[in-house]
Amino acid sequence: MKRKFDVLLAGYYGFGNLGDELLLQSCIQKLQENNIPKERIAVLSATPEETAKRFGVAAFDRWSVIQIARAAAKSRSLLLGGGGLFQDTTSAKSCFYYWMVVKLARANGANVWAIGQSVGPLSTIPGKFFTKSAFSSCLFRGVRDVRSMHQLEEWKLSSVLTPDLVMGLRLKKQTLLSNILLLNVRPWHGPLAENAAALAQKTAEKRGWIIRGVAFSPEDAVLLEELQAKKIVKLHEIALVKSLEDFQNITIGTVGAVGMRLHFIVLSLLAGLPLAAVPYDPKVDLFRMEYNIPVIDNNGEELTFSDAPYGDVADKCGALIDKAFRDGLCAVLGETE
């Protein structure tokens, strides 16, 4: 019997986090470019009605085992589409959830593949078990960093290295410089956010800049408000960015960016902005090392930024991501028309 969907997408979708929504946007775009129309794409989402409306695809409740199974039974393949889904930094719950989704997909006859994934950090026995089992079920494995590739190699699993899927999106590079510094922070353990905000403030005061706070989720906005209330940083405004277009607009007239969230750093790089990174997580550290992006120096008096623009990095990354999608689709669906 012919199945309704070619691809069912699973990720951290529908939670209001811009980075994850951009991963979904990139996946849908790349599938369309490979002759998979939107009506043949479905998504597991925390807010399925909102996801369906925003992206024009079918969406199912990610919290309902029955809906996951039904969606898988209607789909030819399940794609783990971007992000750090398999990590147990706080608990192994995320690893268990996506392992369960993979097993439900296989039980209902859907082939499984992955693109743009991080594997780890993994420190628990359950986390390692669920992750290894899930990736063992994949017919195609695309990971976004060398550390993840090496982890799969330890488990005798082959993979291909692809850039983060947000690198497949396109942004207009900014050439009009003014006096606005972008600052992105996120809740995390320790004083990282406070240190980044304080150093941004020192830099802005020395260079005569103003600071625009950039939130990729409501919790980011709350943190920026708290830092301002503590007089750690003085913000000209706080922008809650909800789309690629929103980000494009806030980069106009900027002189640089300092950020914690990986996809804030990715988008700033695509926009051609001088960058400083706050590597709270291995994926951020690996990305900033690849592109020679300086980290904040807690003992410094002002920020050090990377050189910009970044040449044809977007074209090169886009080509690698395109190839991964073509190869992945051939692995799970056979030759597509």
Side-chain angles (χ1 to χ4, degrees):
M1 182 176 71
K2 184 176 177 63
R3 299 198 173 202
K4 185 174 182 179
F5 306 113
D6 288 319
V7 180
L8 172 64
L9 283 156
Y12 197 70
Y13 309 138
F15 289 92
N17 183 307
L18 178 61
D20 293 293
E21 299 307 294
L22 291 176
L23 289 172
L24 177 55
Q25 180 178 333
S26 181
C27 284
I28 293 172
Q29 179 179 303
K30 294 305 176 185
L31 289 171
Q32 287 183 283
E33 291 172 1
N34 282 277
N35 301 316
I36 307 294
K38 281 189 175 182
E39 57 267 25
R40 300 285 300 170
I41 301 171
V43 179
L44 298 178
S45 171
T47 51
E49 290 184 3
E50 184 178 316
T51 296
K53 181 178 179 180
R54 178 175 179 178
F55 294 101
V57 296
F60 297 86
D61 185 357
R62 65 170 270 143
W63 300 122
S64 168
V65 173
I66 293 175
Q67 284 208 30
I68 295 171
R70 286 176 177 170
K74 294 179 180 179
S75 304
R76 297 174 67 193
S77 74
L78 171 79
L79 171 58
L80 300 169
L85 306 182
F86 291 90
Q87 54 80 26
D88 59 7
T89 302
T90 53
S91 77
K93 290 180 180 179
S94 178
C95 299
F96 170 76
Y97 172 81
Y98 291 105
W99 170 83
M100 178 197 69
V101 171
V102 167
K103 293 307 175 183
L104 283 172
R106 292 299 301 125
N108 284 277
N111 291 326
V112 182
W113 53 312
I115 294 187
Q117 286 297 315
S118 290
V119 183
L122 296 167
S123 58
T124 66
I125 293 175
K128 292 175 183 178
F129 170 81
F130 293 133
T131 303
K132 181 180 179 180
S133 177
F135 277 95
S136 295
S137 297
C138 293
L139 298 182
F140 181 90
R141 305 173 197 91
V143 294
R144 65 183 179 183
D145 56 67
V146 174
R147 178 183 56 82
S148 298
M149 177 176 276
H150 288 166
Q151 177 61 77
L152 292 182
E153 286 176 353
E154 284 186 21
W155 294 335
K156 311 301 182 185
L157 298 175
S158 62
S159 63
V160 297
L161 189 62
T162 63
D164 184 273
L165 296 183
V166 174
M167 294 291 286
L169 299 174
R170 290 292 182 267
L171 275 175
K172 181 180 178 182
K173 290 192 175 181
Q174 296 301 331
T175 55
L176 177 62
L177 300 183
S178 181
N179 66 335
I180 302 171
L181 175 66
L182 302 183
L183 171 66
N184 164 258
V185 292
R186 58 153 296 163
W188 197 248
H189 318 296
L192 276 176
E194 290 190 2
N195 291 342
L199 195 53
Q201 182 63 36
K202 286 183 181 179
T203 304
E205 289 175 355
K206 285 191 172 186
R207 303 192 186 187
W209 296 345
I210 60 176
I211 302 175
R212 174 181 289 148
V214 182
F216 268 32
S217 71
E219 64 180 3
D220 294 0
V222 171
L223 177 57
L224 286 163
E225 290 169 357
E226 291 174 352
L227 293 172
Q228 180 158 246
K230 292 177 181 178
K231 302 188 184 303
I232 294 172
V233 65
K234 182 179 179 181
L235 301 174
H236 172 66
E237 64 177 333
I238 297 174
L240 179 57
V241 180
K242 296 183 178 181
S243 68
L244 194 65
E245 292 73 24
D246 285 350
F247 186 85
Q248 184 80 76
N249 290 335
I250 67 162
T251 61
I252 296 173
T254 56
V255 292
V258 53
M260 288 181 69
R261 286 196 181 272
L262 172 64
H263 291 116
F264 172 84
I265 298 169
V266 170
L267 292 182
S268 297
L269 183 145
L270 291 176
L273 299 179
L275 270 164
V278 187
Y280 74 96
D281 183 271
K283 63 177 179 284
V284 177
D285 204 32
L286 288 165
F287 185 85
R288 72 95 191 163
M289 286 191 291
E290 183 176 357
Y291 292 100
N292 297 313
I293 299 170
V295 298
I296 63 165
D297 180 0
N298 295 337
N299 298 317
E301 291 301 314
E302 60 181 304
L303 292 165
T304 300
F305 295 95
S306 60
D307 295 327
Y310 304 93
D312 58 353
V313 62
D315 292 335
K316 291 179 179 178
C317 289
L320 291 171
I321 295 170
D322 290 341
K323 184 178 187 307
F325 270 85
R326 288 195 301 271
D327 293 344
L329 282 166
C330 284
V332 295
L333 302 183
E335 293 293 335
T336 55
E337 294 180 2

